[in-house]
């Protein structure tokens, strides 16, 4: 049975939510104080970090791995739905940044002014972002949590965004005003890349993409003494999170007890390779000769 890690995931999300709210406040204040488009875009990106934490808390509340009457396969897809919500927020942030760039180019704006103190505050913000990203990713990988890994990816994009913004503002500080607008564009591309990464990770789970090659499952199953052949092999889920396997076995056994022992050994070997798994085995007699097998 899959362990319910939701309480620990919830704790991580609450901690990162509080830190992200602090980051949003600092970036927003500095953005308005300096008039920097790239910094205001960065503040908007950080706002989606905080929003994704809230979305993650909601998804985590409903993503219990234990099945129930209404959800016999568990509730873990709620996590991936939450991760897709984060991807949508990233796409919205990307659009807002690009819109700001166009407005700045076409309408112009007041010169950006920044002091050494404000640059030092940005370095503090960068340190907080780096801590949050590595903290969430480490815990997410240990628990196999899609929502934490997606959120860490989101926050890591914020780290690169902030580094770009700091570089641009140092240039602005030295008199290169055009750097603020120029560096806002790669910020948008970084946000877009983060959205794609989250989508690529979670769509296979939601659309029931094959998790394990049938040939691999067949090789493991037929290596068990007593298994003559197998067919109608199917798998879905994500390795390391949860995998569902279905398989039809032709077993060299004339009694139910022997056939059951052989199928249990197949289950044990598949579980050892692909845990955590839920495996459904259909047993067929030695005389069975369907078209699907050689």
């Amino acid at each position: 049975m899959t362990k319910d890690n939701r309480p620990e995931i919830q704790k991580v999300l609450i901690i990162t939510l509080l830190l992200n709210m602090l980051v949003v406040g600092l970036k927003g204040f500095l953005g308005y104080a300096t008039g920097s488009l790239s910094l205001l875009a960065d503040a908007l990106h950080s706002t989606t970090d905080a929003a994704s934490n809230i979305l993650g808390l909601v998804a985590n509340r409903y993503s219990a791995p234990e099945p129930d009457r209404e959800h016999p396969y568990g509730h873990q897809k709620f996590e991936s739905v939450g991760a897709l919500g984060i991807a949508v927020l990233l796409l919205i942030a990307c659009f807002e940044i690009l819109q700001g760039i166009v407005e700045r180019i076409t309408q112009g704006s007041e010169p950006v002014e920044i002091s050494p103190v404000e640059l030092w505050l940005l370095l503090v913000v960068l340190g907080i972002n780096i801590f949050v990203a590595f903290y969430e990713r480490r815990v997410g990988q240990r628990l196999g949590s899609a929502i934490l890994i997606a959120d860490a990816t989101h926050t890591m994009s914020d780290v690169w965004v902030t580094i770009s913004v700091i570089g641009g503002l140092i240039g602005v500080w030295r008199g290169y005003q055009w750097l603020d607008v120029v560096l806002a564009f790669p910020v948008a591309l970084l946000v877009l890349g983060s959205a794609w990464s989250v989508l690529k990770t979670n769509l296979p789970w939601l659309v029931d993409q094959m998790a394990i090659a049938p040939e691999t499952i067949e090789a493991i199953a037929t290596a068990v003494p007593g298994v003559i052949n197998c067919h109608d092999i199917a798998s879905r889920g994500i390795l390391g999170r949860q995998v569902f396997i279905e398989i039809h076995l032709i077993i060299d056994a004339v009694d139910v007890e022997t056939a059951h022992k052989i199928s249990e050994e197949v289950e044990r070997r598949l579980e050892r390779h692909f845990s955590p798994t839920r495996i459904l085995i259909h047993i067929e007699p030695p005389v069975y000769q369907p078209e699907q097998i050689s």
Side-chain angles (χ1 to χ4, degrees):
M1 181 178 293
T2 305
K3 182 182 177 182
D4 189 353
N5 295 314
R6 288 181 300 156
E8 189 171 354
I9 293 171
Q10 182 184 45
K11 176 184 174 183
V12 173
L13 287 171
I14 291 173
I15 291 171
T16 54
L17 172 61
L18 294 174
L19 291 172
N20 281 328
M21 289 174 66
L22 174 62
V23 166
V24 170
L26 287 172
K27 287 182 179 177
F29 168 75
L30 292 172
Y32 282 108
T34 61
S36 167
L37 173 62
S38 59
L39 187 49
L40 286 172
D42 193 12
L44 177 63
H45 186 218
S46 295
T47 301
T48 65
D49 280 336
S52 70
N53 291 146
I54 296 171
L55 185 61
L57 286 167
V58 174
N60 185 64
R61 169 67 178 80
Y62 295 101
S63 62
E66 296 84 4
D68 57 29
R69 181 179 176 85
E70 287 76 26
H71 302 88
Y73 293 97
H75 308 73
Q76 289 176 297
K77 284 189 178 182
F78 279 102
E79 266 209 357
S80 289
V81 171
L84 292 185
I86 292 173
V88 171
L89 289 173
L90 285 166
L91 291 173
I92 293 172
C94 180
F95 173 78
E96 292 291 338
I97 295 169
L98 292 174
Q99 186 180 47
I101 293 171
V102 172
E103 290 177 357
R104 179 67 62 89
I105 293 173
T106 57
Q107 300 174 14
S109 65
E110 295 294 324
V112 177
E113 296 181 359
I114 188 164
S115 68
V117 173
E118 289 165 336
L119 283 174
W120 277 110
L121 280 174
L122 275 178
L123 289 175
V124 172
V125 169
L126 177 62
I128 295 173
N129 281 148
I130 291 173
F131 169 77
V132 169
F134 281 92
Y135 172 54
E136 274 195 299
R137 183 175 299 278
R138 185 178 68 251
V139 178
Q141 289 174 340
R142 176 168 59 83
L143 300 179
S145 169
I147 200 72
L148 286 184
I149 293 172
D151 205 37
T153 301
H154 189 174
T155 305
M156 197 63 208
S157 72
D158 205 31
V159 169
W160 293 112
V161 168
T162 303
I163 290 173
S164 298
V165 169
I166 291 174
L169 290 178
I170 290 173
V172 167
W173 183 41
R174 297 180 64 86
Y176 301 100
Q177 288 287 330
W178 52 269
L179 270 176
D180 186 51
V181 175
V182 169
L183 286 175
F185 185 71
V187 167
L189 294 181
L190 285 168
V191 173
L192 183 63
S194 296
W196 169 245
S197 176
V198 173
L199 286 170
K200 186 173 65 173
T201 300
N202 289 278
L203 277 178
W205 176 272
L206 293 172
V207 299
D208 289 336
Q209 182 176 311
M210 179 183 68
I212 308 162
E215 295 82 4
T216 302
I217 296 174
E218 180 188 29
I220 294 171
T222 53
V224 175
V227 176
I228 299 174
N229 214 321
C230 54
H231 62 101
D232 286 345
I233 302 169
S235 66
R236 59 186 176 88
I238 296 179
L239 286 172
R241 193 189 304 179
Q242 177 73 66
V243 175
F244 297 87
I245 299 173
E246 298 177 14
I247 183 172
H248 287 225
L249 294 180
I250 300 178
I251 291 179
D252 185 15
V254 294
D255 60 282
V256 175
E257 184 178 359
T258 303
H260 178 68
K261 288 180 179 178
I262 294 171
S263 67
E264 278 194 328
E265 178 59 25
V266 172
E267 281 190 44
R268 277 192 293 270
R269 295 192 184 190
L270 290 173
E271 176 72 25
R272 188 164 62 244
H273 281 83
F274 309 117
S275 176
T277 60
R278 284 181 61 180
I279 304 166
L280 176 63
I281 296 178
H282 180 78
I283 298 174
E284 291 162 345
V287 294
Y288 190 73
Q289 293 291 334
E291 295 179 359
Q292 296 97 319
I293 65 170
S294 58

